[in-house]
Amino acid sequence: MFLKTHKTASSTVLNILYRFAETHNLSVALPAGRHVHLGYPWFFLARYVEGVASQQRFNIMCNHLRFNLPEVQKVMPNDTFYFSILRNPVFQLESSFIYYKTYAPAFQRAPSLDAFLASPQTFYNDSHLLRNVYAKNNMWFDFGFNPNAPAEEGYVRARIAEVEQRFQLVLIAEHLDESLVLLRRRLRWALDDVVAFRLNSRSARSVTRLAPETRERAQRWCALDWRLYQHFNRSLWGQLRAELGPRRLRGEVARLRARRRELAVLCLQDGGAPQNRTQIHDPGLRPYQPGAADILGYNLRPGLDNRTQRVCQRLVTPELQYMAHLYSLQFPEKPPKNIP
């Protein structure tokens, strides 16, 4: 069970899980009907999963949801491996501002992220919580906690302890390759199972450079996310040191990166560089374009043999299209999901 947090490189991890599920013919807890999320931003309920009434348990669960353990346990087996991913909340908030600019009321009213963070209470209204979840402590919210709670020491420690008790691993986006090395070790998967290209990433022109004072304001505004991130960043590196050590870790990361380069040469046109939407030839490989974000994708090399084409296509298929594909495989009797 992967708790897919927002704007944290989680789409890249989702691709890893979708590919593993398809390769091994595993069942995935997918959103019911026309939906693309598992009830987000409301707390997750088992009935948000397609086929939950007829399926005993699913093998993999990885779409966006707000964590609600009792309901998740109705869908997943007792021996489920739980993991998630976090990102430095300063950069997570910057990404969210661009991505959800036209959706979140707090962001709609703010001319820039600098202006928003200079006086966040001018723009942020608690009464619009379900539309403003992206504007304050969004990762804390995804774990099922209150994003507007005071960052009191006892409260924060108790909530972090809850996460540690349930989640066997928390990845860190800034150290994704090291995180994937540890994930592979925990799941006992092959190297190719965890190799991935970056998906749902933005072009450099749609990334805002933040002044030092803006970064400090973002840390204060998202204090709960900041505490969560600091704790699990330390935890990740403690586990890496204990289980692998510096030399072995460097070797494993080098192997992962070398295999990614090999697959990029094998699969990708344009020297492996991600392309903007207008440059992607296959409409089925064009990612969703929200807000002011310029989301990049990939072109496959022409002339690939059938087996290679299948491997490469899975690596670069955007998450909405991949979800629709898995849905059609699992529920061929249902109307397909319409992904424009």
Side-chain angles (χ1 to χ4, degrees):
M1 191 278 166
F2 174 58
L3 177 58
K4 187 180 188 294
T5 50
H6 290 76
K7 314 316 304 164
T8 56
S10 62
S11 295
T12 300
V13 181
L14 186 83
N15 177 266
I16 290 171
L17 296 172
Y18 277 173
R19 281 165 28 216
F20 193 87
E22 186 175 14
T23 300
H24 298 282
N25 195 29
L26 301 177
S27 60
V28 182
L30 295 170
R34 61 183 176 80
H35 299 287
V36 296
H37 295 154
L38 291 168
Y40 196 86
W42 290 274
F43 276 112
F44 172 74
L45 298 174
R47 63 181 173 86
Y48 296 150
V49 175
E50 187 69 76
V52 70
S54 56
Q55 175 103 14
Q56 286 294 97
R57 291 289 188 272
F58 291 84
N59 298 124
I60 292 176
M61 186 178 200
C62 53
N63 285 77
H64 279 308
L65 58 81
R66 190 179 186 199
F67 193 65
N68 184 7
L69 180 60
E71 291 290 313
V72 170
Q73 289 173 323
K74 294 177 182 178
V75 175
M76 300 299 291
N78 291 335
D79 61 349
T80 293
F81 177 87
Y82 288 79
F83 74 110
S84 188
I85 187 167
L86 297 172
R87 182 184 183 185
N88 184 318
V90 174
F91 305 113
Q92 193 270 348
L93 183 65
E94 183 277 327
S95 182
S96 292
F97 186 84
I98 300 296
Y99 203 91
Y100 299 109
K101 180 75 171 75
T102 59
Y103 178 82
F107 291 159
Q108 289 172 356
R109 298 169 56 212
S112 67
L113 184 58
D114 280 333
F116 174 77
L117 287 170
S119 181
Q121 296 297 354
T122 302
F123 306 103
Y124 181 87
N125 187 329
D126 289 3
S127 66
H128 295 148
L129 176 61
L130 290 183
R131 288 181 67 86
N132 273 334
V133 296
Y134 309 106
K136 185 179 185 183
N137 293 311
N138 185 210
M139 296 180 288
W140 191 262
F141 178 90
D142 287 351
F143 275 90
F145 305 139
N146 178 7
N148 294 313
E152 296 170 351
E153 189 63 24
Y155 169 76
V156 172
R157 285 178 180 267
R159 299 294 81 75
I160 287 175
E162 285 182 35
V163 177
E164 281 204 306
Q165 185 177 5
R166 173 50 53 189
F167 289 81
Q168 289 98 315
L169 181 62
V170 177
L171 315 181
I172 297 295
E174 284 78 13
H175 310 293
L176 186 57
D177 287 344
E178 291 85 353
S179 296
L180 292 177
V181 164
L182 195 54
L183 178 67
R184 178 191 169 215
R185 180 180 173 88
R186 295 286 173 84
L187 297 178
R188 302 178 183 179
W189 285 5
L191 179 62
D192 274 14
D193 292 332
V194 299
V195 173
F197 301 139
R198 285 184 64 198
L199 296 179
N200 208 34
S201 62
R202 291 177 293 155
S203 66
R205 70 174 181 82
S206 65
V207 177
T208 305
R209 294 179 64 87
L210 302 178
E213 60 269 23
T214 301
R215 296 186 185 194
E216 291 172 10
R217 287 169 178 161
Q219 284 182 14
R220 291 196 298 272
W221 177 244
C222 295
L224 297 169
D225 272 358
W226 181 243
R227 288 291 303 276
L228 193 68
Y229 172 79
Q230 283 185 306
H231 177 90
F232 284 103
N233 187 34
R234 286 192 300 268
S235 173
L236 174 73
W237 284 101
Q239 292 170 75
L240 287 168
R241 282 191 294 271
E243 296 186 31
L244 290 157
R247 176 183 288 186
R248 187 173 174 191
L249 175 61
R250 283 195 299 270
E252 291 291 322
V253 168
R255 283 183 65 208
L256 179 71
R257 291 173 177 170
R259 182 57 179 152
R260 184 185 296 129
R261 288 192 295 269
E262 287 175 6
L263 287 169
V265 170
L266 175 68
C267 295
L268 303 181
Q269 228 180 3
D270 314 306
Q275 304 295 304
N276 69 39
R277 188 179 188 278
T278 61
Q279 298 169 311
I280 299 170
H281 310 314
D282 182 350
L285 297 182
R286 291 175 188 158
Y288 173 59
Q289 301 290 325
D294 180 22
I295 305 298
L296 303 177
Y298 298 92
N299 286 314
L300 293 179
R301 284 179 56 207
L304 299 173
D305 64 74
N306 288 341
R307 181 181 177 280
T308 305
Q309 173 85 16
R310 188 165 58 249
V311 169
C312 295
Q313 183 123 6
R314 289 174 180 177
L315 281 162
V316 300
T317 299
E319 64 180 275
L320 292 180
Q321 290 94 314
Y322 211 148
M323 178 194 59
H325 169 65
L326 291 181
Y327 186 87
S328 295
L329 290 179
Q330 280 187 213
F331 306 103
E333 75 285 0
K334 301 274 186 183
K337 287 187 184 290
N338 178 30
I339 307 298

